[in-house]
Amino acid sequence: MNKLRGRFLQAVLAVELRRRVRSRRLAWLLSGYLAAIGAIILGYLDVSTGPDAVFSATSRELFSLLSTLQLVMVLFLTPAVTAGTISGERERQTLNLLLTTNLTAAEIVVGKLVSSLSFLALLVVASLPLYAIVFVYGGVSPTALASTFAFFLFTMAVVAASACSPRPLPTERARPWLQPTPWWG
């Protein structure tokens, strides 16, 4: 039975990945993201490199700038992509069909979560050629790049899990505690 559940989970993941990769939104998002970050990096290089520039210091600053931009992307896009996974099924009116399968609710959420994380990991890995500009100037080790990418993947997993987590609705007994009371009363 466990082997059968694994096949169903892989099926949900495969369908979700296929749906994401075949959309035009992926191409536009990837192209726009890389063009925006590339333009910022080239603008920074144009401003910061002069006739007497120290390229190793410029490389470290460029690595910091690129990593900061990448982290901002992770923090903004991860909740946007993962929070709408289940509601997207409801909008397409396929959630009821998905719930009639042998999958548990947790397996459905995990399949959607892994699909969203792989989509975001594609965005992070696609920016790897931009990091090649940093290696041209030197001053940053490949281990720093690997640890930065590991941090991005960990941050994506934590933010995506918190975006997909169910939030309990307040019960009737808890509502009076949630209403603000004036400090004078």
Side-chain angles (χ1 to χ4, degrees), residues 152-169:
F152 290 151
L153 293 176
F154 175 75
T155 304
M156 275 191 301
V158 170
V159 172
S162 66
C164 281
S165 67
R167 289 167 182 82
L169 296 174

Side-chain angles (χ1 to χ4, degrees), residues 41-126:
I41 288 172
L42 290 176
Y44 177 78
L45 282 175
D46 187 42
V47 169
S48 66
T49 55
D52 56 347
V54 177
F55 289 116
S56 64
T58 302
S59 177
R60 284 190 293 271
E61 291 171 1
L62 185 62
F63 182 74
S64 297
L65 175 69
L66 190 55
S67 298
T68 303
L69 290 173
Q70 192 87 347
L71 183 63
V72 168
M73 183 276 305
V74 164
L75 291 176
F76 281 124
L77 281 183
T78 302
V81 169
T82 57
T85 56
I86 303 298
S87 63
E89 290 290 332
R90 191 174 293 146
E91 288 173 3
R92 289 187 297 272
Q93 297 178 351
T94 56
L95 182 63
N96 291 335
L97 292 173
L98 190 59
L99 291 175
T100 59
T101 62
N102 291 335
L103 293 173
T104 64
E107 290 170 336
I108 293 170
V109 170
V110 167
K112 298 284 188 179
L113 182 66
V114 170
S115 169
S116 298
L117 285 176
S118 62
F119 174 72
L120 292 164
L122 175 67
L123 288 178
V124 170
V125 171

Side-chain angles (χ1 to χ4, degrees), residues 19-31 119:
R19 183 181 300 151
R20 285 185 189 272
V21 172
R22 288 183 180 173
S23 69
R24 291 183 188 258
R25 189 176 92 171
L26 174 67
W28 284 107
L29 182 66
L30 196 59
S31 300
F119 174 72

